[in-house]
Amino acid sequence: MSLQQTPQSRVFVELLPWADRGRENYLLSGGETLPGLRRPLSSAPAQTPTREVHVSGTAEVSASPDRAQVVVRVSSTKGAAAEAKKSVCRRLDYITQSLRLQGVQSENVTVTKDFKRLENAYHMEAEVCITFTEFGKMQNICNFLVEKLDSSVVISQPQFYHMPGSVENLQRQACLAAVENAWRKAQEVCSLVGQTLGKPLIIKEEETKEWEGQIDHPQSSRLSSSLTVQQKIKSATMHAASKVFITFEVKGREKKKKHI
């Protein structure tokens, strides 16, 4: 006689312990029984199995870039070396003075100079690399320099980025948010079935991922030079997602003591 296999099922919350494990007969389909094994009685009290609830939680967090870098290039080609140097240094002094008046700290400004001789002339080029933490101030300064200086001064498009450690911090935030979501879900499940949520038994981060910009965004295929400042910020925005699995202990509701 062949035994029918019962379909497998997935238990989400187990609130009642498995009963009648030591009974002598096991009931089969059709009302038939098979003899079971007798187990010797133990004098030790039977331990109540731990009741558990298994939940998963997900979360996604994002962070806009907190730094931007702009490079201002000044160059001059003259027949005399002194004239080339004077032309560049005059505009370079004006740029650095303007940055100080606008409140840009000196540690956020780096100046490099390059001087070389051509066939019949001298060429000097200087770069001012500026790091901004306030994007509104960055735009005001760039607009001011474009207005006051001639076309020989080239101002690059801002490059937005994150300070070191930002990605790791974002990953932690996503994981903590996912754990909190799973905990809230477990609390609601236990409350629904009239139980009390206990301590966590297992906490496992099953999946984590990070990406920059917007997934499948139509602007991502455009050239960086054609993007607006706000579009550049969105493209440099970091995202992190986390998925966790947590097993909690389930406790019965405590009965209130009656006061006489």
Side-chain angles (χ1 to χ4, degrees):
M1 176 179 178
S2 61
L3 300 179
Q4 295 182 357
Q5 294 183 353
T6 57
Q8 295 181 352
S9 60
R10 184 178 180 182
V11 178
F12 178 63
V13 183
E14 183 183 4
L15 297 178
L16 295 178
W18 186 270
D20 297 334
R21 288 187 177 179
R23 61 183 180 179
E24 298 180 1
N25 297 317
Y26 292 91
L27 184 63
L28 299 179
S29 61
E32 299 181 4
T33 60
L34 284 178
L37 296 176
R38 287 184 179 272
R39 296 185 179 179
L41 296 178
S42 174
S43 59
Q47 294 183 353
T48 304
T50 303
R51 298 180 301 171
E52 301 172 350
V53 56
H54 307 267
V55 294
S56 63
T58 58
E60 179 182 320
V61 295
S62 61
S64 299
D66 50 15
R67 297 287 188 275
Q69 189 177 81
V70 174
V71 177
V72 181
R73 295 182 177 88
V74 183
S75 62
S76 177
T77 302
K78 300 289 184 178
E83 292 181 0
K85 290 181 179 180
K86 181 179 179 180
S87 175
V88 171
C89 291
R90 175 172 47 83
R91 286 172 291 173
L92 193 59
D93 290 341
Y94 180 82
I95 293 171
T96 54
Q97 182 181 5
S98 299
L99 294 176
R100 286 194 299 269
L101 293 176
Q102 293 288 342
V104 179
Q105 301 297 321
S106 59
E107 59 265 23
N108 294 326
V109 180
T110 303
V111 180
T112 58
K113 300 177 182 179
D114 180 54
F115 185 78
K116 58 185 177 181
R117 182 173 183 175
L118 303 179
E119 291 182 358
N120 298 316
Y122 294 89
H123 179 82
M124 183 172 181
E125 183 172 320
E127 285 189 353
V128 183
C129 183
I130 316 162
T131 301
F132 293 96
T133 57
E134 300 177 31
F135 299 157
K137 178 186 290 188
M138 175 196 69
Q139 289 183 286
N140 292 335
I141 290 177
C142 290
N143 293 339
F144 175 80
L145 294 178
V146 168
E147 179 183 356
K148 297 298 181 179
L149 299 174
D150 57 29
S151 58
S152 63
V153 178
V154 179
I155 302 176
S156 70
Q157 293 292 322
Q159 299 296 322
F160 296 95
Y161 63 98
H162 295 262
M163 65 180 299
S166 297
V167 176
E168 291 78 6
N169 184 48
L170 201 64
Q171 292 172 339
R172 288 193 295 269
Q173 292 180 21
C175 181
L176 293 177
V179 170
E180 183 178 0
N181 291 339
W183 174 71
R184 292 184 183 277
K185 184 192 295 185
Q187 273 196 322
E188 293 176 2
V189 169
C190 288
S191 177
L192 181 65
V193 296
Q195 302 295 306
T196 301
L197 185 66
K199 62 183 179 181
L201 303 176
I202 298 175
I203 302 177
K204 179 182 178 182
E205 188 175 32
E206 293 187 323
E207 182 181 352
T208 178
K209 60 180 179 179
E210 308 84 34
W211 67 96
E212 189 177 63
Q214 296 176 318
I215 299 178
D216 298 331
H217 195 276
Q219 300 291 351
S220 60
S221 61
R222 295 173 55 182
L223 294 175
S224 176
S225 60
S226 64
L227 298 178
T228 65
V229 171
Q230 291 301 320
Q231 289 171 342
K232 286 177 179 290
I233 293 175
K234 288 183 178 180
S235 297
T237 297
M238 289 295 302
H239 303 265
S242 176
K243 180 180 179 182
V244 299
F245 175 83
I246 306 180
T247 299
F248 288 96
E249 181 183 9
V250 176
K251 299 180 179 180
R253 286 194 182 276
E254 296 181 358
K255 296 182 179 179
K256 295 183 179 179
K257 295 182 180 179
K258 295 182 179 180
H259 298 280
I260 300 177

